Amino acid sequence: MTSTANGHDPPGAKARWIVNAVGFWCALGYACLTFLAKQPGEPDLPVFFILVAWTGLPVFGLYHYFKSRGEPFPVGRMFFWAVVFRICGLIGGPFFEDDFNRYLWDGYRFATSGTPYGAAPEAFFADPGVPASFQRLLDGINNPELPTIYAPTTQAVFLLGYWLQPGSVAALQLILILVDLVTIALLLRMAPARGVMLYAWCPLVIKEIAFTAHPDGVGVCLLLGAILLARDRRWRYASVCLGMAAGAKIFALVLVPLVLARARSRHWILFGAILAALYTPFIIRGGTELASLLVFAREWQFNSAVFGLLATVLRPFDAKLVLGLMYFVFWAIHAIKFVRSSTHPVPRGDWLYGALLVISPVINPWYLLWLLPFAAIFPSAWAWTASASVLLSYVTGLNLNDYGLQPYQQPAWARLLEFGLILLALVYDLSRRRLLSLGGGNDLGGDAGTSCIKT
């Protein structure tokens, strides 16, 4: 470390030292998680949660340190450690999940038959033409009676992974890590670096993308790119990105009307044309993911919040109808305010995705990848508490080795703790917001009251 002529450290030296110290501390935690992920079987849940606290709590402390002092966060070091953490995930590989088997199988089917859709994996169990390495993947696919549920843009990523190295989850991890680093770069154009650090160093993001290779980050990256392009009124490119984002996962449709709210009709047509272009080749070949998606929407329930409560007094269909109507009203109110506002170029994706998840029959941890980039722009206690507490959804009969529970059944205490922590954080946010508004201050995150878009 260099010093100035009067013996004092140069400006920012202490800040860089603190960031490096926290980064190294977190890297030790991820290195331990890498070691556990490489061992036979799954990591012990208590050890996993200790490492989540090890790598997560210092990040929140670091955020508040820089927020309270108003110092600029050193972007280069933030990015450096973000890369280090993701390399740990790349080396460690998936745990608590087997979805990667489906991703790799879809890539194989896409490359060899021209489409991943139509035939369910179980149709190939006795097929002698399937290579032995992919037969082993077939053995690990969940719900093999259903064709794939993943949309065309995501399938293109699986195909690219196959081209890089057939059947390699590491190739897929590498692609998704690179996409996630692009997401971080986009966020740096939309939020202060300390807020972006919350996303870049978030244990859930690193676990679900770098370790486990969930592909939701592809749609998120495209969505953020579209928002930035729309901000600059580059509507044509924004429409293309939105079409590809919607072609990655249906979640993107929540924000499409808001991003294109000020666009012309031809840009809406372009969005539809891109989406149609993604789906048409597969429709011609006889299938898309929509049939399996309908089965998922109709039958599956896991880690639900409000839906789980309402379904105890209403039929599941009726509960979905009631909650769907309530969500539409909530979304419409926000949409009207957003369109009328000239000061917020970024829709409140944290609110819209948060509300969608809280009424959803299924809340998988990686679904929060759609919410957390917006929580970097509009920091709040509830969103970042959710990023940690949702990992309690991994407390299931399967991971507990508890034969008194179904494999994906959660003990009641886990779900109560998960959503209880989020509720407490939400109450804290609302209370603090009211107090600070009376005193003329900012919200919890310090950045949540403004759009944080940089020009």
Side-chain angles (χ1 to χ4, degrees):
M1 182 180 296
T2 60
S3 298
T4 58
N6 61 9
H8 295 293
D9 290 333
K14 181 180 178 182
R16 291 191 294 271
W17 185 90
I18 292 172
V19 171
N20 284 333
V22 174
F24 182 74
W25 174 271
C26 293
L28 290 177
Y30 287 118
C32 292
L33 198 55
T34 298
F35 174 79
L36 293 175
K38 300 295 287 185
Q39 304 309 303
E42 303 286 14
D44 289 335
L45 282 170
V47 176
F48 170 67
F49 287 116
I50 288 171
L51 291 175
V52 168
W54 179 293
T55 55
L57 292 177
V59 173
F60 300 138
L62 190 62
Y63 170 82
H64 282 287
Y65 174 85
F66 278 89
K67 170 183 169 289
S68 63
R69 284 161 176 76
E71 296 182 28
F73 198 96
V75 173
R77 281 163 172 74
M78 182 268 286
F79 210 88
F80 170 79
W81 288 110
V83 172
V84 170
F85 304 155
R86 284 156 177 79
I87 290 173
C88 291
L90 178 63
I91 296 171
F95 61 93
F96 293 156
E97 292 290 341
D98 57 13
D99 288 347
F100 67 91
N101 293 299
R102 174 80 75 163
Y103 310 155
L104 299 177
W105 172 254
D106 283 359
Y108 164 76
R109 287 281 297 149
F110 198 168
T112 56
S113 68
T115 179
Y117 301 114
E122 67 177 9
F124 299 88
F125 282 167
D127 188 341
V130 176
S133 60
F134 285 94
Q135 283 288 357
R136 289 191 291 271
L137 287 176
L138 279 173
D139 294 338
I141 292 177
N142 57 48
N143 300 293
E145 73 282 0
L146 292 176
T148 185
I149 200 171
Y150 299 102
T153 303
T154 305
Q155 293 293 348
V157 175
F158 300 160
L159 178 62
L160 178 58
Y162 178 88
W163 285 342
L164 288 177
Q165 187 174 355
S168 169
V169 69
L172 193 56
Q173 287 172 272
L174 179 60
I175 295 169
L176 296 173
I177 287 170
L178 292 175
V179 171
D180 194 38
L181 294 176
V182 173
T183 296
I184 295 171
L186 293 174
L187 282 173
L188 284 169
R189 297 186 59 192
M190 304 170 76
R194 64 174 180 264
V196 178
M197 184 270 302
L198 289 173
Y199 176 89
W201 291 18
C202 176
L204 180 141
V205 174
I206 294 160
K207 190 274 177 190
E208 300 301 342
I209 294 179
F211 279 89
T212 313
H214 278 294
D216 290 61
V218 174
V220 172
C221 183
L222 289 165
L223 182 59
L224 292 177
I227 291 171
L228 278 171
L229 290 165
R231 180 201 70 177
D232 297 335
R233 298 190 175 278
R234 300 172 68 182
W235 296 111
R236 182 184 305 174
Y237 299 108
S239 299
V240 172
C241 284
L242 285 174
M244 295 175 66
K249 195 163 189 170
I250 196 172
F251 277 24
L253 293 177
V254 171
L255 294 190
V256 166
L258 302 183
V259 179
L260 291 181
R262 299 177 178 90
R264 296 183 179 180
S265 57
R266 66 173 180 266
H267 300 118
W268 285 84
I269 293 171
L270 178 58
F271 161 74
I274 294 296
L275 197 56
L278 290 171
Y279 274 95
T280 298
F282 300 113
I283 294 173
I284 293 172
R285 287 179 172 269
T288 67
E289 85 283 7
L290 297 180
S292 294
L293 192 63
L294 287 174
V295 174
F296 176 89
R298 184 174 63 247
E299 299 180 4
W300 292 5
Q301 182 182 166
F302 173 72
N303 192 40
S304 61
V306 175
F307 173 81
L309 294 174
L310 195 58
T312 61
V313 295
L314 295 177
R315 293 180 302 173
F317 176 81
D318 295 336
K320 292 173 186 176
L321 182 61
V322 169
L323 292 174
L325 290 173
M326 292 174 62
Y327 182 76
F328 176 77
V329 171
F330 174 79
W331 182 93
I333 292 171
H334 175 72
I336 292 170
K337 290 182 178 179
F338 176 77
V339 171
R340 289 177 176 175
S341 172
S342 60
T343 60
H344 292 277
V346 178
R348 290 301 299 256
D350 53 338
W351 292 351
L352 295 176
Y353 284 121
L356 180 64
L357 291 177
V358 83
I359 67 168
S360 175
V362 176
I363 308 176
N364 286 314
W366 55 93
Y367 290 2
L368 270 76
L369 294 174
W370 291 86
L371 181 158
L372 293 179
F374 297 95
I377 302 169
F378 306 101
S380 61
W382 73 264
W384 293 107
T385 299
S387 76
S389 67
V390 75
L391 293 171
L392 286 163
S393 63
Y394 284 116
V395 181
T396 61
L398 181 65
N399 293 326
L400 288 170
N401 294 315
D402 185 342
Y403 298 103
L405 298 172
Q406 296 295 321
Y408 294 102
Q409 182 181 357
Q410 300 163 277
W413 66 263
R415 205 183 301 192
L416 287 171
L417 180 59
E418 175 185 352
F419 296 114
L421 289 172
I422 298 172
L423 183 60
L424 287 174
L426 180 60
V427 170
Y428 172 83
D429 274 339
L430 295 174
S431 301
R432 184 172 175 83
R433 182 175 181 178
R434 180 176 180 180
L435 289 173
L436 292 179
S437 65
L438 293 174
N442 290 325
D443 205 347
L444 169 70
D447 313 309
T450 60
S451 67
C452 297
I453 284 283
K454 294 183 177 180
T455 56

